[in-house]
Amino acid sequence: MDNNLNSFFAALSDPTRRAVIERLTAGSAPVSELHEPHGMALPSFLKHLGKLESAGMIRSEKTGRVRMVHIEAAPISEAEGWLHHQRKMWEGRLDRLSTLAEKFEKENDDG
Amino acid sequence: MDNNLNSFFAALSDPTRRAVIERLTAGSAPVSELHEPHGMALPSFLKHLGKLESAGMIRSEKTGRVRMVHIEAAPISEAEGWLHHQRKMWEGRLDRLSTLAEKFEKENDDG
């Protein structure tokens, strides 16, 4: 799982690759349509798709002359889950600190 | 914001850096304590801290002879927010497809 997160986060560190993910959340698309908005040579664009595919974030299949690209949901959930957990841990700590501070204040008022 | 996400996700693509974030969610810590579990030369470890710091995910301050490291919460939330949005978009599409399929089935039953 740790290795998965390495490649998920590395794959998401590039704006072209994030744009591909954003587009694919609306539905699968052929490579040509994904490539079109990026003003980039096709081989460079295919390298980006390759990184997403080897990270397991997309899969593609050739139907006739068209290569269709699909999103894989699990990596998004796994990366989101890790971040969510960190935030919850951090917020939990803030809550405990705040409870301690209130308790301290109350004890000082009472005393 | 796009540039922020580049550096947040790149910073999180390394297990040492994720371990530092995980440790800091429990509370701020001196560099020496953060370094201790990693069995890595200090200069290499400081490079990892430097990447987290330049991504804005941690900040540090020297008090006396000790450099304390603190987590910055905003980048975690921003990266989590991006992933959450992608998942919601994707799930929304699945819901719409499922509604369409039900409607189609019902119309076929009625006909």
Side-chain angles (χ1 to χ4, degrees):
Chain A
M1 156 154 177
D2 227 38
N3 285 335
N4 288 352
L5 287 175
N6 292 353
S7 59
F8 298 162
F9 285 130
L12 294 174
S13 69
D14 178 275
T16 300
R17 296 195 290 266
R18 284 199 305 280
V20 168
I21 294 292
E22 285 170 355
R23 165 63 190 80
L24 291 175
T25 59
S28 302
V31 168
S32 54
E33 186 188 323
L34 291 174
H35 172 231
E36 199 270 327
H38 289 287
M40 177 186 294
L42 184 60
S44 307
F45 184 72
L46 291 178
K47 274 187 198 164
H48 284 303
L49 289 190
K51 287 208 177 171
L52 288 169
E53 192 153 16
S54 60
M57 305 187 89
I58 63 171
R59 65 192 159 80
S60 68
E61 52 177 358
K62 203 155 187 174
T63 50
R65 294 174 62 182
V66 172
R67 179 165 290 277
M68 285 295 288
V69 184
H70 314 275
I71 197 169
E72 290 284 359
I76 297 279
S77 296
E78 193 171 327
E80 183 191 357
W82 187 87
L83 288 162
H84 182 79
H85 181 72
Q86 304 319 312
R87 187 167 56 80
K88 284 292 165 191
M89 294 296 286
W90 183 78
E91 286 173 358
R93 182 180 153 256
L94 288 193
D95 286 347
R96 284 192 300 280
L97 285 178
S98 153
T99 308
L100 273 176
E102 274 168 36
K103 199 181 156 195
F104 180 77
E105 217 162 63
K106 194 166 175 295
E107 282 175 2
N108 268 26
D109 285 352
D110 292 349
Chain B
M1 158 154 180
D2 227 38
N3 284 337
N4 289 351
L5 287 175
N6 292 353
S7 57
F8 298 162
F9 285 130
L12 294 174
S13 69
D14 179 274
T16 300
R17 297 195 290 267
R18 286 200 304 281
V20 168
I21 294 291
E22 285 170 354
R23 166 62 189 81
L24 291 175
T25 59
S28 302
V31 168
S32 54
E33 186 188 324
L34 291 173
H35 171 231
E36 198 270 329
H38 289 288
M40 177 186 291
L42 184 61
S44 308
F45 185 72
L46 291 178
K47 275 188 197 164
H48 284 303
L49 289 190
K51 287 208 177 170
L52 287 169
E53 192 153 16
S54 61
M57 305 187 90
I58 62 171
R59 65 191 161 79
S60 69
E61 52 177 358
K62 203 155 187 176
T63 50
R65 295 173 63 181
V66 172
R67 180 164 290 278
M68 284 296 287
V69 184
H70 314 274
I71 198 168
E72 289 285 0
I76 297 280
S77 296
E78 193 172 326
E80 183 191 356
W82 186 86
L83 288 163
H84 182 80
H85 181 74
Q86 303 318 313
R87 186 167 57 80
K88 285 292 166 193
M89 294 296 286
W90 183 77
E91 288 174 355
R93 180 179 154 258
L94 288 193
D95 286 347
R96 286 192 298 280
L97 285 177
S98 154
T99 308
L100 272 176
E102 274 168 34
K103 199 181 157 196
F104 180 77
E105 218 163 60
K106 194 166 175 296
E107 281 174 2
N108 267 26
D109 285 351
D110 293 349

